Amino acid sequence: MITSFIPPQRTLMGPGPSDVHPRILEALGRPTIGHLDPAFIGMMDEVKTLLQYAFQTENALTLPVSAPGSAGMEACFVNLIEPGDKVIVCVNGVFGTRMIENVTRSGGEAIRVDDAWGQPVDANKVEAALKANPDAKILAFVHAETSTGVESDAAALCALAKAHDCLVIMDTVTGLAGVPVKVDEWGADAVYSGTQKCLSCTPGISPVTFSERAAETIRNRKTPVQSWFLDMNLVMGYWGPGAKRAYHHTAPINALYGLHESLVMLQEEGLEASFARHKAMHEKLRDGLAEIGIGYLVDEAHRLPQLNAVMIPQGVDDATARGRLLNEFNLEIGAGLGDFAGKVWRIGLMGYSAREENVQLCLDALRAVIK
């Protein structure tokens, strides 16, 4: 007979999900109410306001998609791309390649700009692609590449897109609340993130924000949005002004309680304090790893403090070491992807996981396993 599932108590220091704060776990267990209940609608409005703070934007079309970060990505692409549209896509890791998939499946033409994994997007290559494709509609790039721990210069890339009259789609799934994300200042038009990284919430919701220019593009489409569920023309009817709210789907009520609590906590801590905490924990981890003899994949100038891609020491078997960390220390870190499989570990310091006790546990456990 199958009985209730009781998960083991782990410390999550991989590429996501991150540890969930006890306050958020408590919020998830609050009484469920209807998704059109006036009290819930009031909370939805607060979530939108709090997300605008996190994204540093005044975009009216800012909301949480009721699905994981991959759905947030798809929402941005399917709403802005129509068949035949040309999209310049920057690829310097796994999630750039997923952008290519989204362009193709939306009927667009992807112009690929490649950089080596572990390197930031090269703005000179992007500028050359924009000049070579004056009819391009969109520039898409990953701000914080989860597969390698590299941060690209979002401000510079957005400025290039603006100079060439392109919309910008930006992935900041790992970036939001860990490093500055300045949607309005940079001029990004469609930006998506996830709740399970630096927001320290459970997976399953994707915050997105669309500029007024992007919203106008969506409203003036000549063809229907490929996805009914992700069509912002319909979704905004549910997430729009409370008095006019129309049924679209049943929102993940308790999951949104958790997101609301995580955003309240971010507001309490303050964005700058959150960035400083992630940076401080990264530096503590970096210094400890150096003592063990573990170096980084990414140059220091372009490293994400919340996602540390480090080189596996020579003679250490990846799977065996991670298995020991999990079984002996209840510690999860991430494996490398693609060409870096078996060569790199990805150590997350995201949200509630970015704590001194976690850094110390990770360093002590790695010392024991490598020894």
Side-chain angles (χ1 to χ4, degrees):
M1 183 179 184
I2 296 174
T3 58
S4 299
F5 174 66
I6 308 297
Q9 186 69 48
R10 308 284 199 203
T11 298
L12 301 180
M13 296 185 69
S18 59
D19 284 343
V20 179
H21 195 283
R23 274 179 60 177
I24 298 170
L25 291 174
E26 186 275 328
L28 292 166
R30 292 171 187 164
T32 304
I33 58 177
H35 69 111
L36 293 173
D37 187 299
F40 187 72
I41 288 171
M43 189 207 72
M44 290 169 72
D45 290 336
E46 292 181 350
V47 166
K48 288 175 62 177
T49 300
L50 290 163
L51 282 177
Q52 287 171 325
Y53 170 67
F55 278 123
Q56 292 292 276
T57 184
E58 295 182 4
N59 290 341
L61 187 45
T62 301
L63 55 91
V65 172
S66 300
S70 295
M73 170 171 58
E74 192 162 323
C76 291
F77 282 88
V78 299
N79 277 277
L80 291 178
I81 296 174
E82 296 198 64
D85 285 344
K86 190 177 285 188
V87 183
I88 296 174
V89 182
C90 305
V91 180
N92 64 332
V94 166
F95 294 95
T97 62
R98 291 192 181 182
M99 286 180 159
I100 297 276
E101 274 287 314
N102 275 268
V103 172
T104 303
R105 289 170 183 253
S106 300
E109 178 188 352
I111 307 298
R112 183 169 176 150
V113 177
D114 280 288
D115 282 292
W117 285 30
Q119 295 294 320
V121 173
D122 186 332
N124 292 322
K125 290 182 182 179
V126 173
E127 185 172 24
L130 287 164
K131 288 179 177 177
N133 297 276
D135 55 340
K137 178 181 178 181
I138 297 167
L139 171 66
F141 66 88
V142 179
H143 168 225
E145 178 54 75
T146 313
S147 62
T148 62
V150 68
E151 180 180 7
S152 291
D153 188 343
L157 295 172
C158 288
L160 281 173
K162 185 176 181 180
H164 291 268
D165 197 29
C166 274
L167 293 163
V168 169
I169 296 178
M170 184 175 84
D171 173 329
T172 190
V173 170
T174 297
L176 192 66
V179 290
V181 175
K182 301 179 180 181
V183 170
D184 285 0
E185 182 180 318
W186 296 343
D189 295 290
V191 182
Y192 58 92
S193 189
T195 50
Q196 76 278 20
K197 308 280 188 172
C198 296
L199 290 177
S200 266
C201 197
T202 51
I205 298 178
S206 179
V208 298
T209 185
F210 293 86
S211 70
E212 180 52 37
R213 185 182 177 205
E216 188 67 18
T217 300
I218 297 167
R219 287 192 291 267
N220 293 327
R221 288 177 61 99
K222 297 179 178 67
T223 59
V225 174
Q226 180 194 34
S227 167
W228 177 89
F229 181 67
L230 297 173
D231 185 344
M232 286 297 124
N233 289 307
L234 303 175
V235 174
M236 199 53 191
Y238 180 47
W239 277 94
K244 300 178 182 178
R245 195 151 296 173
Y247 169 70
H248 177 261
H249 67 279
T250 302
I253 295 159
N254 289 63
L256 285 171
Y257 295 168
L259 174 58
H260 182 277
E261 190 68 21
S262 76
L263 292 168
V264 166
M265 292 172 63
L266 178 62
Q267 178 186 249
E268 290 171 354
E269 182 178 19
L271 283 173
E272 295 301 326
S274 179
F275 304 152
R277 173 169 55 84
H278 283 88
K279 186 173 186 288
M281 292 304 101
H282 159 74
E283 290 171 349
K284 182 178 176 66
L285 177 68
R286 176 202 62 196
D287 294 347
L289 290 173
E291 293 175 6
I292 303 172
I294 296 178
Y296 275 73
L297 169 67
V298 178
D299 289 341
E300 189 165 5
H302 307 295
R303 286 177 198 161
L304 288 167
Q306 64 269 44
L307 200 289
N308 298 258
V310 302
M311 307 305 295
I312 299 173
Q314 191 170 5
V316 175
D317 180 73
D318 170 34
T320 301
R322 284 187 295 105
R324 286 191 60 195
L325 291 174
L326 193 67
N327 296 323
E328 297 175 26
F329 297 91
N330 278 311
L331 173 65
E332 177 184 283
I333 65 171
L337 299 175
D339 290 343
F340 293 126
K343 301 175 183 177
V344 164
W345 287 323
R346 291 179 297 153
I347 302 174
L349 290 170
M350 296 184 283
Y352 188 51
S353 293
R355 292 178 287 155
E356 288 201 22
E357 54 265 46
N358 280 20
V359 174
Q360 196 59 54
L361 168 65
C362 183
L363 292 171
D364 291 345
L366 283 172
R367 284 191 191 95
V369 166
I370 290 171
K371 184 179 179 181

